[in-house]
Amino acid sequence: MSKAAPAKKPTPSAPPPGCTIDINDPQVQSAAIRIQASYRGHRSRKELREKGPPRVLEPLKDVVLIEGSAAKLTCRISAFPDPFIRWSKDGKELRDGPKYRYIFEDPDVVALVVRDGELADLGQYSINVTNPFGQCSDSARILVEVPAKIQKGPDSTKARKGATVTLCAEIMGEPAPDVGWTKDGKDIEEDDRVFFEIGSTNTTLTIRRSTPEDSGKYEVFVENCLGMDQSFARVDVA
């Protein structure tokens, strides 16, 4: 019985043109040297980074927060291994939650987002970065802008002749608003009997030794660069 001839191994086909690398090619050798140098540089930078304390590469900057919106404080740092980040406002630590969000955008960028802006968010914010080799910190301010508004207007009142009448209004706004009072549409000219005072959160109109001529419609208005508001009350003196 005759035996079948052993099968021949297929001859490998030559790779398509342009798909071979000649390790003796000077350009290939040069590229390999650059890759090795780059890798050694990366290792060197990584080792140096591992041995150093945290550093602030780009500091925090003051930001303006509009009432009802959100503000973001961003800081670029250098720290390895992963550091412990702590944010605080006016020296009090802020917890990550619905109001304040800790953000880690990439290995070097950290941020704090302050939501639902209000006047109480005005203040100095600080970041403290700590790792086994040391710590660093930085700070900036959040400046809050709030349209001028009257939170509670004056109440209408009745008084006997000769009594002292006071009209009070609760106000707010940042920048601090201009405040004025009018009677029957005309600006009130202050003297030692009729005058008004302006506080940080309120304004009061005082009428001493009231007379029937003091009866009328009194209006208070507030205004800043973001808006204005007004409210009125009636005074009856008999």
Side-chain angles (χ1 to χ4, degrees):
M1 176 184 286
S2 62
K3 295 181 179 180
K8 294 183 178 180
K9 293 182 180 180
T11 303
S13 59
C19 294
T20 59
I21 295 178
D22 183 357
I23 61 174
N24 295 316
D25 187 324
Q27 291 184 346
V28 173
Q29 293 180 348
S30 177
I33 291 172
R34 288 197 300 271
I35 292 171
Q36 292 174 10
S38 175
Y39 177 72
R40 285 196 300 271
H42 170 75
R43 285 293 300 273
S44 251
R45 288 191 298 273
K46 184 178 179 183
E47 288 167 4
L48 287 173
R49 188 181 182 192
E50 288 175 345
K51 296 176 182 177
R55 292 181 299 116
V56 175
L57 302 181
E58 292 182 13
L60 296 171
K61 296 180 180 179
D62 293 350
V63 297
V64 175
L65 174 58
I66 304 297
E67 184 186 30
S69 65
K72 184 178 180 182
L73 291 165
T74 302
C75 183
R76 183 178 293 275
I77 61 173
S78 173
F80 191 85
D82 292 340
F84 175 73
I85 305 292
R86 183 172 67 89
W87 288 93
S88 60
K89 174 183 180 289
D90 298 329
K92 183 178 180 180
E93 184 174 355
L94 302 174
R95 300 292 184 182
D96 186 35
K99 175 66 177 180
Y100 305 104
R101 294 297 299 170
Y102 284 30
I103 305 296
F104 301 89
E105 297 185 338
D106 66 35
D108 294 329
V109 177
V110 294
L112 175 73
V113 174
V114 180
R115 296 173 170 172
D116 302 321
E118 56 185 346
L119 194 55
D121 294 320
L122 175 71
Q124 186 87 5
Y125 290 75
S126 302
I127 183 174
N128 184 272
V129 186
T130 305
N131 74 1
F133 301 102
Q135 66 91 30
C136 66
S137 61
D138 196 27
S139 62
R141 290 186 63 80
I142 285 185
L143 309 172
V144 181
E145 291 189 347
V146 180
K149 65 177 65 175
I150 297 173
Q151 291 186 291
K152 184 181 184 302
D155 294 323
S156 295
T157 185
K158 294 181 179 181
R160 290 183 178 275
K161 179 181 177 180
T164 296
V165 176
T166 57
L167 298 176
C168 300
E170 296 178 7
I171 63 174
M172 68 180 300
E174 186 62 39
D178 294 325
V179 180
W181 287 85
T182 64
K183 176 182 180 289
D184 297 329
K186 296 181 179 180
D187 291 340
I188 292 176
E189 295 184 7
E190 295 181 274
D191 53 31
D192 62 349
R193 193 182 72 86
V194 180
F195 57 91
F196 59 87
E197 299 172 302
I198 303 171
S200 59
T201 60
N202 60 72
T203 178
T204 302
L205 174 70
T206 301
I207 306 172
R208 292 175 176 172
R209 304 182 301 276
S210 60
T211 68
E213 287 73 24
D214 292 320
S215 298
K217 178 183 177 181
Y218 288 79
E219 187 171 20
V220 58
F221 64 87
V222 294
E223 182 177 9
N224 65 9
C225 59
L226 300 172
M228 69 169 296
D229 198 7
Q230 57 193 6
S231 183
F232 70 89
R234 175 128 196 121
V235 173
D236 290 305
V237 181

